[in-house]
Amino acid sequence: MSPDFARLPGFRDFVPEDLRVRSHVFDAWRAVARRYGFREYDAPPLEPLDLYVEKSGEEIVGQLYAFEDKGGRQVSMRPEMTPSLARVLGERSRGMSKPIRWFAIPQLFRYERQQRGRLREHFQWNVDIVGEADEAADAEICAVAIDGLRLLGLTAGDIHARVSDRRLLTAILTALGLDEAGRASAFQIIDKIERTPREKTLERLREECGFSEEHAEQLVEVVEAGSIEQVRERFGAHPEIAEALEPMTRYLSVLDAMGLSEFVTFDLRIVRGLAYYTGIVFEVFDRKGEFRAVCGGGRYDRLLELVGGEPLPAVGFGMGDVVLTELLRERGKLPDTSPTLDYFLVSVGDETRELVFELAHRLRERGRSVAYALRPQAVRKQFKAAENEGAAEVVVLGPEEVARGVAMVRDMRSGTEREVALPALGES
Ligand code: HAM
């Protein structure tokens, strides 16, 4: 039987066109992170399995690429970056000035059921602020995510951040009479509310959380209402809920002051699947709701302590490249991926071939991109190659011109030709 060398399902090859797109996205991510004063870090792609168990939540743990290494250690490919960040800072945050603003672009691995927008590896822009509990940090994080998408050409007509607060939802569920176990079930039901028929949601709320029919209705109504005013109107009389509304109100007003409110929608249906979130959470979606979330994040004030470090508040997000690239493609926002070259050097006959090598090297020393036929070829073929390589200009080295110390330069776009003195090539 011949071995099967096919690419594993859910993994990607990046041929140059794909890598060009990836770099375009990474460049925007890096540029925006730097605008906000974040510094880039990285950590190992393989971590101790324990780093994820319990901390990331059941869903991710079920998707781990985990195994025993040759030293008998239980290890896992990283499915997300946040536990690694918590570990790195757990080891060294004490001596560092706060807040810590760090970002990373790790490749992550999850054994997912393959579907649109979900692969078994993806790159994820992680941006986190550690050591600041004020809502201004939450707002800053949301603004970075929005600006990353704006720099890639998306507008408030294309995307919005749907924001919620787990503390607020907890206060509402408590006011409706749920204990901790009931709240945990309710969180899971609300997390799935958009993909579940209303009747089914109501039934689950009654059966799994012990809600009365009236309370189940009330909850679904307020969760789906989509406005902070409605929550205030209906539940504002409960002191815990009034208190839990405050951080969200301040958060929204910071984003408003930044001029970003058109990108932000209050939405209690956003719960987030990961276990460690403790406060404001958000997910960015395309407005038409065609794709899965482009980005998700929120506040996780207890994770660092859980990983054995200093108890520090933290907030951040992860933005994946898979959904984002699909969305950019759909909106016609991908960069041109055809090859480009400053010069292609053409030698007419063998006599000028030496000069091609010399000139190519000189131009490359000046930072120009240059290619030429690697074996003697007819001029017509060389021009064809120049076209394929996307050369802006073709430098033709004919014996007669070279004898006069010049070359013929053709601008490939306009088709115009001019003579240039050999020493002046690549100077402009
Ligand atoms: P997450 O929601 O699991 O959060 O992932 C964030 C984003 O990564 C998703 O919205 C999605 O775009 C992308 N993503 C996740 N899984 C896949 C997959 N299998 N294939 C393609 N794209 C995927 C986290 O991972 C948190 N650690 C983010 C965070 C950072 N929270 C605080 N700081």
Side-chain angles (χ1 to χ4, degrees):
M1 230 171 68
S2 70
D4 185 357
F5 295 134
R7 197 180 59 229
L8 290 171
F11 285 76
R12 292 169 292 176
D13 294 321
F14 287 89
V15 299
E17 289 75 19
D18 302 326
L19 201 72
R20 171 79 190 84
V21 170
R22 187 173 107 186
S23 302
H24 172 72
V25 169
F26 286 13
D27 287 350
W29 285 350
R30 288 202 167 94
V32 169
R34 293 205 183 102
R35 281 189 201 168
Y36 281 77
F38 286 79
R39 296 168 70 205
E40 189 164 3
Y41 71 99
D42 202 355
L46 195 66
E47 290 275 17
L49 175 63
D50 277 346
L51 191 60
Y52 306 110
V53 176
E54 282 167 38
K55 290 158 200 88
S56 295
E58 264 170 53
E59 194 178 322
I60 277 202
V61 171
Q63 299 169 337
L64 291 177
Y65 272 89
F67 55 95
E68 187 179 299
D69 77 2
K70 288 179 182 168
R73 297 173 200 89
Q74 297 301 318
V75 297
S76 172
M77 301 291 286
R78 58 186 175 194
E80 58 157 337
M81 195 64 172
T82 317
S84 298
L85 173 67
R87 180 182 55 68
V88 174
L89 289 179
E91 286 163 10
R92 63 189 82 205
S93 70
R94 279 178 215 278
M96 295 168 66
S97 63
K98 317 287 182 327
I100 298 157
R101 295 164 183 258
W102 279 11
F103 82 97
I105 308 182
Q107 189 173 22
L108 305 177
F109 304 88
R110 299 181 188 181
Y111 198 88
E112 296 240 24
R113 200 164 50 81
Q114 254 200 91
Q115 42 191 314
R116 189 171 181 215
R118 281 288 173 278
L119 299 175
R120 292 185 176 160
E121 55 73 26
H122 71 284
F123 288 89
Q124 197 187 80
W125 185 30
N126 275 251
V127 182
D128 293 86
I129 298 179
V130 174
E132 183 52 69
D134 197 279
E135 294 77 38
D138 299 72
E140 184 99 330
I141 283 296
C142 188
V144 176
I146 293 169
D147 279 350
L149 295 167
R150 287 177 64 208
L151 191 62
L152 288 163
L154 297 171
T155 66
D158 297 312
I159 48 117
H160 64 153
R162 296 167 57 193
V163 306
S164 181
D165 191 330
R166 283 194 172 190
R167 290 163 298 191
L168 179 57
L169 192 57
T170 301
I172 294 172
L173 295 171
T174 309
L176 291 172
L178 293 196
D179 60 8
E180 203 178 328
R183 289 195 298 263
S185 307
F187 265 71
Q188 285 185 9
I189 297 168
I190 293 169
D191 192 31
K192 307 248 165 353
I193 201 165
E194 285 173 78
R195 281 164 277 155
T196 315
R198 190 186 164 94
E199 274 316 307
K200 181 80 192 157
T201 300
L202 290 169
E203 182 191 312
R204 285 190 65 191
L205 285 170
R206 288 196 304 270
E207 284 173 10
E208 293 168 41
C209 313
F211 264 126
S212 67
E213 194 150 347
E214 189 196 337
H215 277 175
E217 283 278 359
Q218 267 186 22
L219 180 67
V220 170
E221 208 173 292
V222 77
V223 164
E224 288 187 333
S227 103
I228 194 163
E229 289 73 32
Q230 253 160 310
V231 177
R232 195 173 282 125
E233 238 169 65
R234 189 167 280 247
F235 290 103
H238 292 265
E240 295 81 15
I241 297 179
E243 196 185 319
L245 276 166
E246 281 174 21
M248 177 53 70
T249 310
R250 286 195 295 269
Y251 172 73
L252 293 174
S253 75
V254 176
L255 287 165
D256 190 27
M258 289 174 165
L260 295 176
S261 10
E262 59 174 344
F263 285 91
V264 181
T265 311
F266 173 76
D267 193 334
L268 278 174
R269 290 172 296 185
I270 299 300
V271 173
R272 303 278 298 132
L274 294 160
Y276 46 67
Y277 293 109
T278 55
I280 290 176
V281 285
F282 75 100
E283 285 184 340
V284 178
F285 282 88
D286 65 293
R287 286 268 184 196
K288 292 188 194 158
E290 284 173 46
F291 297 91
R292 305 180 63 123
V294 179
C295 162
R299 179 163 283 286
Y300 50 101
D301 283 348
R302 287 194 283 278
L303 187 63
L304 272 88
E305 201 178 357
L306 206 67
V307 176
E310 201 181 351
L312 285 174
V315 53
F317 71 79
M319 182 183 293
D321 67 330
V322 180
V323 178
L324 176 55
T325 305
E326 282 181 12
L327 180 59
L328 292 173
R329 180 169 294 119
E330 180 100 356
R331 301 284 183 276
K333 304 284 185 197
L334 289 183
D336 180 6
T337 58
S338 38
T340 59
L341 200 61
D342 293 327
Y343 298 109
F344 194 96
L345 309 187
V346 167
S347 66
V348 182
D350 283 355
E351 293 156 60
T352 56
R353 218 165 134 67
E354 286 276 301
L355 184 58
V356 165
F357 302 136
E358 185 198 317
L359 188 57
H361 199 253
R362 207 169 73 210
L363 289 169
R364 287 167 177 163
E365 295 264 286
R366 289 180 181 172
R368 304 310 171 96
S369 55
V370 183
Y372 50 84
L374 291 173
R375 61 189 158 88
Q377 270 182 343
V379 170
R380 187 179 38 81
K381 272 207 162 169
Q382 295 180 62
F383 264 94
K384 186 78 206 140
E387 227 173 83
N388 291 342
E389 307 261 353
E393 294 191 311
V394 172
V395 179
V396 185
L397 298 163
E400 188 265 321
E401 286 87 356
V402 168
R404 288 192 287 117
V406 298
M408 231 260 302
V409 178
R410 177 188 289 192
D411 182 312
M412 292 295 275
R413 204 174 296 154
S414 64
T416 54
E417 292 180 349
R418 64 188 197 283
E419 274 189 1
V420 179
L422 287 173
L425 266 173
E427 264 176 2
S428 57

